[in-house]
Amino acid sequence: MAIISDNFLLSNETAKTLYHDYAKQTPILDYHCHIPPRDIAADRRFDNLTQIWLEGDHYKWRLMRANGIDERFITGDASDREKFFAWVKTIPMAVRNPVYHWSYLELARYFGIGDTLLNLANAPSIYDRCTALLQTADFSARNIIKQMNVAALCTTDDPTDDLQHHKKIRQDGFAVRVLPAFRPDRGMAVESPELFNRWVAKLEAAADREIRNYQGFIDAIKNRHDYFHAHGCRVSDHGIETAYAADFTASEIAAIFDRVRLGNGLDDTEIVKFKSAMMIEFATMDSQKGWVHQLHLGALRSVNSRMQKILGPDTGFDAMGDFAVARTLAQFLDRLHQLDCLPKMILYNINPKDNEVLATIAGCFQDGMVAGKMQFGAAWWFLDQKDGMTTQLTALANVGLLGRFIGMTTDSRSLLSYPRHEYFRRILCNIIGVDVENGEIFEDMDTLGHIVQDICFNNAVDYFSILSN
């Protein structure tokens, strides 16, 4: 029996109706992803299945390493065909991992292979069949996005980026809105003076101005913020361990900036003060322009220093952190609220212990003026799986308004990742369907169906306001 059937993950009739009649055909607004804009600008074609399926996918790389696959067949110099066979050896071992489901969903939705157990016996024919399809026009980067019913997507971009790829995408008249997102984390990374100063040099070049002091630094960032806004950006993003909310004075931050510009190291107190100041600066810029401010909290990054030196960041050596987030996050949001510059904000956690923490803190800063202004974000990274999505949706529903949730995002570098939205939608419909059939929710299918559609798409359209710009 095929795993990816019409009723995959749908355990009852209500769930089936909600998914097939309401969720299935709803477009996708992928408001946070890491797809390289250069691939979309060039309308990239992929030479083979390995390139599009395994390139840059650290989810799969981690599993291959755990399966005893040598690095040569993961990120090394083995042929693409050999790398694919190494991944095929790993898939059976990945039962109950979300990548197992994602892999079969991707084969089904993109290549029409939905009823086949992938194994070493049929791997050559599947590789050849998919590789042949990838040579057709339907499998260019832009056509892949269109065939998955994507209405808009936001990439993740450094403030120093010239956005040339985004300009080309817009000039070409691509039907899908592809917009940049502003990720200024390097502008607060003063724990490494060398890397920070290297970034400031790039910022000077991008903003075409010399940065002599802290105010000049902020002015240069505002210049780039304006530039991104002019090119359609309406969302920023931070990937940080925790929020920062230390007390500071303007003179302290100016002095800290001068010290780090001279290449001097800072103590922990100075680092936290500077990060606290920059968080306020970034959020204020977003508030003034009506942007959405995203905080991805809690990842413990690059814990394997040996492999970090060999392969660099974002190669599968990050972990779930256990940082304290509640007090500093609440203080950060409270300070913004006191300054009357609290933007729309999405709070993501990577550790499930923080589900109710973030959901309840978000509830403290809803202002009654924007529905769902403060969002407890979708299950992210290590929580981006069936149990993680279920517990995130449950925590949100228990202490907030599920019907105002802005739904799923891929957070992925892969053009084949869009079935993750389907995965989420099936889980969402099943959760609601179970409650209906247990007699816990009225069987008002019209209302419930529209709530499902709102969560899948409509709420995000209203929240980000990027389809009408």
Side-chain angles (χ1 to χ4, degrees), residues 285-310:
M285 292 180 205
D286 289 354
S287 177
Q288 291 171 346
K289 287 194 176 70
W291 287 15
V292 175
H293 189 85
Q294 297 180 103
L295 294 180
H296 285 85
L297 302 168
L300 187 62
R301 297 182 185 272
S302 301
V303 300
N304 187 327
S305 58
R306 178 181 175 186
M307 295 306 295
Q308 159 82 359
K309 291 177 182 177
I310 296 171

Side-chain angles (χ1 to χ4, degrees), residues 14-39:
T14 304
K16 295 172 186 177
T17 298
L18 288 172
Y19 178 73
H20 292 294
D21 291 357
Y22 296 94
K24 184 176 181 179
Q25 301 303 324
T26 305
I28 290 171
L29 200 165
D30 196 30
Y31 51 85
H32 175 70
C33 77
H34 296 275
I35 294 172
R38 65 178 177 272
D39 285 353

Side-chain angles (χ1 to χ4, degrees), residues 58-134:
H58 55 79
Y59 286 87
K60 294 185 177 77
W61 294 352
R62 285 173 65 96
L63 298 183
M64 293 169 76
R65 292 178 187 126
N67 199 39
I69 302 296
D70 187 272
E71 195 67 31
R72 176 171 176 263
F73 298 95
I74 304 172
T75 61
D77 61 1
S79 70
D80 285 345
R81 195 175 186 90
E82 289 174 314
K83 289 178 179 179
F84 175 73
F85 294 153
W87 169 237
V88 171
K89 292 178 184 177
T90 303
I91 290 178
M93 301 296 104
V95 290
R96 306 208 78 230
N97 187 289
V99 176
Y100 183 87
H101 283 157
W102 295 346
S103 295
Y104 284 108
L105 275 169
E106 289 160 8
L107 285 174
R109 298 298 172 250
Y110 293 99
F111 303 105
I113 304 172
D115 57 355
T116 302
L117 176 66
L118 181 58
N119 54 42
L120 287 177
N122 60 25
S125 62
I126 288 178
Y127 183 85
D128 291 340
R129 174 179 169 183
C130 294
T131 294
L133 286 171
L134 288 168

